Amino acid sequence: MTDLGKIDADFFERVIAPNLGADREAVSLGPTAGVDFGVLELGGRAVVAATDPLSVLPVLGLERAGRLAIDIVLSDVAVSGIEPDHLTLGLTLPPDYERETLAAVWRGIDAHASELGVEVTATHVGRYPGVERSWIGSATALGIGDPEDLVRPDGARPGDELVISTGPAAEVAGLFATRYPERLGLDPETVATAQQRVNDIPAVEDALAAHRSGAVTAMHDATEGGIAGGLDEMADGAGVRFDIDPRAMPTAEGVEAVCSAIDVDPWHVTSCGTLLISVESGEGETVVAALEERGTPAAVVGRVREGSGVYADGQRVEPPARDPSWKAAERLSQS
């Protein structure tokens, strides 16, 4: 419990999962390892809910940072196939957080929510001691839709094709190049290219486009633990084997250079904006085309088979015990 990032799976299974308060009949899916959302079924409708911390990095530009902060939680609903439409926000700000700063962040939140058709339905905003500046609260996203449209991340079936959008570590490349441009030991052109990867983080519209285009059987976003962690969660949840061709994986410019500079495996680090998708056989290229039409690189990278685990070129891919980007950020912030 001393490591940064999400708690480990063992603690979740021993302490969190068995102790969830009252057992309510409407909850058809509660907190589950490897699943981004929970589900209520009310009056024949599915209410999908997801909660995430809010990280607002001023170095990205305040309005842009506000947009990215809510896109990350909204995408946890969008991967379900149900469009997010409501959002609640609890902002716990440092004592010296300026009104002008909050106003700029809120403009970004409002603009992005408006573009996505999402309404903010409840808020709490206040200043409190002991709050670190970039982590300023949490948000809960909700989506209401037809239960028949619901897709879980553990729904992959043997014979399905595997599609990956954006590729590994775009989030880490973009954020590290933006936050620590002088400390990476890279030339200015490479740093500038890597900084553009911040534009790859939003995933709500990509997720919805993929769901609308083909027969998606499972979808997951590659957050902490990256592609290796996300694929392992999907395969383990579905009780199947994933066979991946790493040469087919899209990789954005600047990613490999930054990951090498901070000594992390691109497959192991948080990759917001990257979608891991299984689709019925023959539908993979249709989903790829829908994503590429939005300007998002994507590729069919493998197949789902009987068995267990994730394999690349026949070699088992193990998920990281901890996302190494946390320690990399600690090193750079202290140097």
Side-chain angles (χ1 to χ4, degrees), residues 1-281:
M1 288 296 292
T2 58
D3 290 322
L4 296 175
K6 290 181 180 179
I7 60 170
D8 59 77
D10 177 68
F11 187 89
F12 177 86
E13 295 294 345
R14 285 189 300 105
V15 178
I16 306 298
N19 301 292
L20 299 172
D23 185 9
R24 305 290 295 185
E25 186 177 349
V27 179
S28 60
L29 175 63
T32 304
V35 179
D36 303 301
F37 52 83
V39 182
L40 300 172
E41 293 200 16
L42 300 170
R45 304 290 282 170
V47 181
V48 180
T51 297
D52 263 334
L54 284 176
S55 176
V56 175
L57 298 174
V59 70
L60 300 177
L62 293 173
E63 293 193 26
R64 184 191 198 191
R67 285 173 171 268
L68 291 176
I70 66 165
D71 195 277
I72 289 170
V73 64
L74 292 170
S75 67
D76 279 350
V77 169
V79 297
S80 75
I82 304 295
E83 190 168 345
D85 46 28
H86 296 85
L87 183 69
T88 70
L89 295 161
L91 303 186
T92 52
L93 308 173
D96 61 347
Y97 212 81
E98 298 179 354
R99 289 175 177 267
E100 293 77 10
T101 300
L102 174 59
V105 170
W106 197 265
R107 284 195 295 270
I109 290 172
D110 169 64
H112 197 49
S114 297
E115 290 166 6
L116 296 174
V118 171
E119 182 175 2
V120 176
T121 56
T123 64
H124 176 91
V125 182
R127 296 189 182 94
Y128 302 95
V131 177
E132 197 277 326
R133 178 164 290 273
S134 67
W135 294 95
I136 61 168
S138 64
T140 295
L142 301 169
I144 304 170
D146 188 336
E148 294 297 318
D149 294 332
L150 186 68
V151 173
R152 291 173 45 148
D154 54 4
R157 302 168 300 195
D160 286 351
E161 295 176 292
L162 294 168
V163 173
I164 291 182
S165 72
T166 301
E171 176 194 5
V172 160
L175 294 182
F176 275 69
T178 302
R179 295 186 70 183
Y180 312 110
E182 309 283 321
R183 302 180 191 177
L184 299 177
L186 300 173
D187 63 86
E189 183 177 351
T190 299
V191 170
T193 297
Q195 287 172 344
Q196 295 304 308
R197 301 284 67 81
V198 173
N199 298 328
D200 300 338
I201 295 175
V204 171
E205 292 177 293
D206 282 348
L208 296 176
H211 277 292
R212 291 170 184 146
S213 67
V216 171
T217 58
M219 188 182 296
H220 198 21
D221 61 340
T223 51
E224 289 190 47
I227 283 177
L231 289 175
D232 185 77
E233 288 175 340
M234 291 177 72
D236 183 62
V240 294
R241 168 174 168 151
F242 287 178
D243 279 301
I244 306 294
D245 176 4
R247 291 171 295 278
M249 186 82 65
T251 301
E253 292 182 356
V255 166
E256 292 182 349
V258 171
C259 288
S260 178
I262 63 176
D263 193 27
V264 299
D265 185 331
W267 281 41
H268 285 179
V269 293
T270 180
S271 301
C272 286
T274 295
L275 297 175
L276 315 174
I277 310 167
S278 66
V279 299
E280 291 183 2
S281 182

